[in-house]
Amino acid sequence: CFLTKKTALEYECKECHSIQTIAYPMYRHQPSLDEFGTKTWECQNASCQKQSYWRLRKDQSSRILACDYPVSWENEAMQLAQDKVKAARMGIAKLSMDTDGNTQSPSTEDACVIL
């Protein structure tokens, strides 16, 4: 999948609760951010190695494009999008302060990184 080749995400195994990086968008099969998904993937943990269900780590949700949130996340999607906007605004505010705390305009390169 094009979206996740650049952003393999970390998931929790339902069987052993270990964390594993998976390049497939398993979050698309989660009814909500808190629930384990409905599609299995093999756990690579040596003590588990089972076909297991997976749940995206919450700290990874900001790495998903807003346009790719599952429809079932309708209630959570708005909050996730708002969190992304807040983080971007904080980044812009930090770029616009010099080391003495004075306001300055970010350079074109810095502004483009945020966008």
Side-chain angles (χ1 to χ4, degrees), residues 1 14 30 65 70 76 79 86 96 105 109:
C1 172
K14 186 175 184 177
Q30 285 182 235
L65 298 175
E76 297 160 304
Q79 183 61 49
K86 268 190 226 176
S96 65
S105 296
E109 290 101 11

Side-chain angles (χ1 to χ4, degrees), residues 11-17 22 26 29 35-43 50-55:
Y11 295 86
E12 175 189 357
C13 174
K14 186 175 184 177
E15 295 291 323
C16 68
H17 301 285
I22 301 175
M26 297 297 287
H29 305 283
E35 296 177 66
F36 286 92
T38 58
K39 185 175 179 91
T40 62
W41 192 273
E42 185 177 351
C43 182
K50 296 178 182 172
Q51 284 293 121
S52 183
Y53 296 99
W54 297 86
R55 172 173 54 196

Side-chain angles (χ1 to χ4, degrees), residues 6-115:
K6 292 172 123 178
T7 57
L9 302 171
E10 294 180 347
Y11 295 86
E12 175 189 357
C13 174
K14 186 175 184 177
E15 295 291 323
C16 68
H17 301 285
S18 67
I19 302 301
Q20 181 172 314
T21 300
I22 301 175
Y24 178 81
M26 297 297 287
Y27 61 86
R28 292 180 180 164
H29 305 283
Q30 285 182 235
S32 73
L33 192 53
D34 293 324
E35 296 177 66
F36 286 92
T38 58
K39 185 175 179 91
T40 62
W41 192 273
E42 185 177 351
C43 182
Q44 300 298 314
N45 183 324
S47 64
C48 184
Q49 296 187 342
K50 296 178 182 172
Q51 284 293 121
S52 183
Y53 296 99
W54 297 86
R55 172 173 54 196
L56 182 71
R57 286 184 46 182
K58 284 191 179 185
D59 66 343
Q60 299 285 291
S61 63
S62 64
R63 298 180 63 201
I64 300 172
L65 298 175
C67 63
D68 198 38
Y69 292 142
V71 174
S72 62
W73 292 13
E74 183 179 341
N75 296 333
E76 297 160 304
M78 183 59 76
Q79 183 61 49
L80 292 171
Q82 289 173 345
D83 291 346
K84 284 185 178 197
V85 169
K86 268 190 226 176
R89 286 182 178 160
M90 287 174 50
I92 291 169
K94 286 179 185 175
L95 286 174
S96 65
M97 295 285 196
D98 65 18
T99 55
D100 296 324
N102 299 317
T103 303
Q104 66 179 15
S105 296
S107 70
T108 305
E109 290 101 11
D110 290 339
C112 290
V113 168
I114 293 169
L115 298 174

